[in-house]
Amino acid sequence: MATPDFIRTLRRSIGHDLLWLPGVSAVVFDDEGRVLLNRRSDNGKWSLLGGIPEPGEQPAACAVREVEEETGVHCVVERVVVVQALRPVTYDNGDICQYMDISFRCRAVGGEARVNDDESLEVGWFAVDALPELNEFGMVRIKQALMDAPTWFEPTSSE
C-alpha cells in the first residue's frame, strides 16, 4: 500500500511512534457472485482491496476510489459488513500503525479488472468456492458480506 502524503508529513513529527489510522476494505462482487481480489506487490499474497482515506474523505468514497485505482473496476457500496480495530502493525522501516477497519460489501458496475497501479501483481475475479489462499481477515469479511446479517463488530464486555 502506498503511503499517503499526509502520513509522510505526520511521520516527520512523530517518527516511528504508533499512528492510529482509519482504513477501509472492499468486498466487491460481480453479477456472477465472484469476488474481486488482488495479489499484492508488497507481500505477494492475495487480498481484498482497500486503503486509507485521505483527510476529510468519507470511508465509502475511499473504498470506491481504492477499488478503481487498484483494479480499474467501478463499484458502488451496498453496506458496511465489519467494523474492527486491528492489531498494531510494525512495518519494515520501523513505523507502527494501528487501523480501524471499516469493511464494505460492494457491487461492480463497470470497468475491466486489471492491474491498474503498482500495488498489485495480479487482479482477478474468483468464485467464492474457489478462492486463492487468503488470510483470516479476508475470509471473515467475505463470509460476512455473503450473509444478510447486521454489521459485525467486536462485542463489548458486560462486566
Side-chain angles (χ1 to χ4, degrees):
M1 166 182 342
T3 304
D5 290 338
F6 79 92
I7 293 176
R8 292 181 206 278
T9 301
L10 284 170
R11 284 286 177 209
R12 286 196 289 272
S13 297
I14 68 168
H16 298 299
D17 289 349
L18 177 67
L19 183 57
W20 175 250
L21 292 166
V24 301
S25 302
V27 183
V28 183
F29 293 101
D30 67 4
D31 290 338
E32 298 173 40
R34 299 178 300 173
V35 179
L36 181 63
L37 301 173
N38 73 327
R39 194 163 67 85
R40 296 171 55 115
S41 59
D42 61 350
N43 63 19
K45 296 180 180 179
W46 286 99
S47 177
L48 295 176
L49 303 153
I52 299 168
E54 295 291 331
E57 184 179 31
Q58 294 297 323
C62 176
V64 169
R65 175 181 57 77
E66 288 287 347
V67 169
E68 184 174 359
E69 286 178 359
E70 295 177 22
T71 70
V73 171
H74 305 282
C75 69
V76 294
V77 171
E78 295 181 327
R79 64 186 175 93
V80 175
V81 295
V82 174
V83 176
Q84 183 180 29
L86 306 177
R87 292 187 178 106
V89 176
T90 302
Y91 292 98
D92 290 341
N93 67 358
D95 287 351
I96 304 169
C97 293
Q98 187 170 12
Y99 298 94
M100 171 62 72
D101 178 66
I102 304 169
S103 295
F104 296 95
R105 177 189 166 106
C106 302
R107 182 174 38 87
V109 294
E112 194 70 34
R114 66 183 182 277
V115 174
N116 205 38
D117 65 13
D118 61 357
E119 295 183 39
S120 301
L121 299 172
E122 294 179 74
V123 170
W125 292 103
F126 294 89
V128 174
D129 61 356
L131 296 171
E133 184 177 333
L134 287 175
N135 61 18
E136 182 182 1
F137 176 93
M139 294 303 293
V140 165
R141 281 150 178 76
I142 291 169
K143 179 182 174 185
Q144 189 68 22
L146 288 167
M147 296 189 310
D148 188 24
T151 301
W152 183 93
F153 55 90
E154 189 73 34
T156 58
S157 174
S158 59
E159 300 176 330

